[in-house]
Amino acid sequence: MKYISKFTFSIALVLLSLTGNAQEKTTAKKDSIPPKMERYGLRLGVDLFKLTRSFYEKDYRGLELVGDYRLTRKHYLAAEIGNEDKTVDDEQLNFTTKGTYLKVGFDYNSYQNWLDMENIISIGLRYGVSSFSQTLNSYQLYDPNNQYFGEAPTIYPTNNEFNGLSAQWIEVVAGMKAEVFNNVFVGFSFRLNRLVTQKQPNNFENLYIPGFNRTYNGDFGVGFNYTVSYFIPLYKSTVKAKEKADKKSKTAQKK
């Protein structure tokens, strides 16, 4: 009996040891699961819509560079800078607008990505400023007598140039970006613009503003861009750590 008791005790020790080793391995496996990481960095690109438009539209030349920087999981700083040279031939006016513009603001990403996806469906705001010149190339006057006899209206060339013009506006932006290759994104956005202030020439309106596009009813405009951009990763951050930081910042703001 004495030997049997010692043998039984030895077996129990072996089983306890095996159980402890199994638990340690399970804990080690749990601890070895890497945390989810997300990339933060700068994305730079170009508006293909304006770039290609310069080739097929003879009265237009334009280029726009775009960029955004990821601040938090959902918020991005965003900006666009560009220049435009556009000639408009209306029924009564022919004029040319030349100038540069800058738009800065932010985007909010409402899309919940899976795994390591970094796609964006966003809504945002921009504040735009533009500096430009207008040249009134020619204008038409309708003579009732000529119109009665079926004659064409008289065209008066002027080539009057108005320099030092400017405009500022607010822009609501809705768009998306999708990664098609490693770090390469394509996207598009729609824009609704509202003028805040503008400097106009005497006896002539700003009918086209670089960056704002054509004005409608004096204050409103619409826009569109189609972009290709490249993402430059700068650092990575764990999802949990970033969420805690966001919660702390929200709590601090409430206090």
Side-chain angles (χ1 to χ4, degrees):
M1 291 294 293
K2 190 174 182 180
Y3 293 103
I4 293 173
S5 299
K6 287 183 178 180
F7 180 72
T8 304
F9 182 71
S10 299
I11 292 174
L13 288 176
V14 171
L15 290 174
L16 285 171
S17 177
L18 291 173
T19 303
N21 290 335
Q23 288 178 348
E24 287 178 2
K25 288 181 180 179
T26 303
T27 305
K29 285 182 179 179
K30 288 181 179 179
D31 294 339
S32 64
I33 297 175
K36 184 180 177 182
M37 306 288 289
E38 288 189 343
R39 303 190 303 170
Y40 290 74
L42 183 66
R43 187 174 10 236
L44 299 172
V46 63
D47 180 7
L48 294 178
F49 178 66
K50 286 185 174 63
L51 190 63
T52 56
R53 185 181 172 190
S54 300
F55 292 99
Y56 65 78
E57 190 174 328
K58 65 177 183 178
D59 292 332
Y60 179 84
R61 295 289 182 273
L63 177 67
E64 179 177 283
L65 303 178
V66 301
D68 63 66
Y69 178 78
R70 189 177 188 184
L71 282 178
T72 70
R73 292 193 70 201
K74 296 291 186 180
H75 295 87
Y76 296 75
L77 286 178
E80 295 92 21
I81 185 171
N83 66 81
E84 287 187 295
D85 182 339
K86 169 70 174 172
T87 297
V88 177
D89 190 8
D90 274 349
E91 292 182 359
Q92 293 181 308
L93 294 173
N94 183 292
F95 65 92
T96 300
T97 303
K98 298 179 182 180
T100 59
Y101 61 90
L102 172 67
K103 295 184 275 189
V104 294
F106 71 92
D107 288 328
Y108 175 81
N109 183 18
S110 61
Y111 183 69
Q112 184 65 43
N113 283 293
W114 299 353
L115 301 176
D116 296 327
M117 295 171 61
E118 296 176 322
N119 300 326
I120 296 173
I121 298 178
S122 63
I123 185 167
L125 286 174
R126 303 283 191 277
Y127 193 86
V129 294
S130 180
S131 176
F132 56 98
S133 65
Q134 302 257 29
T135 301
L136 179 59
N137 301 315
S138 62
Y139 65 95
Q140 299 179 5
L141 291 179
Y142 286 88
D143 188 339
N145 296 324
N146 290 343
Q147 197 171 23
Y148 178 78
F149 290 106
E151 296 181 12
T154 305
I155 299 176
Y156 297 90
T158 63
N159 292 321
N160 288 336
E161 186 173 358
F162 307 95
N163 296 308
L165 306 179
S166 62
Q168 299 182 30
W169 66 91
I170 295 176
E171 199 167 275
V172 179
V173 184
M176 65 168 292
K177 293 184 181 76
E179 188 174 17
V180 291
F181 301 107
N182 187 30
N183 293 333
V184 178
F185 290 77
V186 295
F188 63 87
S189 67
F190 297 96
R191 288 134 189 277
L192 179 62
N193 310 331
R194 174 68 162 81
L195 276 173
V196 176
T197 181
Q198 62 175 322
K199 181 180 179 182
Q200 300 186 105
N202 294 328
N203 302 320
F204 187 60
E205 295 182 359
N206 292 326
L207 301 178
Y208 191 94
I209 299 172
F212 184 92
N213 299 326
R214 187 69 182 264
T215 59
Y216 296 91
N217 296 326
D219 293 331
F220 291 95
V222 295
F224 171 83
N225 73 356
Y226 179 75
T227 62
V228 59
S229 54
Y230 185 81
F231 179 70
I232 304 171
L234 299 178
Y235 68 95
K236 291 183 178 181
S237 178
T238 59
V239 173
K240 289 183 179 179
K242 204 66 182 176
E243 286 177 343
K244 288 179 181 179
D246 292 342
K247 287 181 181 179
K248 286 181 180 180
S249 63
K250 288 181 180 178
T251 304
Q253 288 176 0
K254 288 180 181 179
K255 290 181 179 180

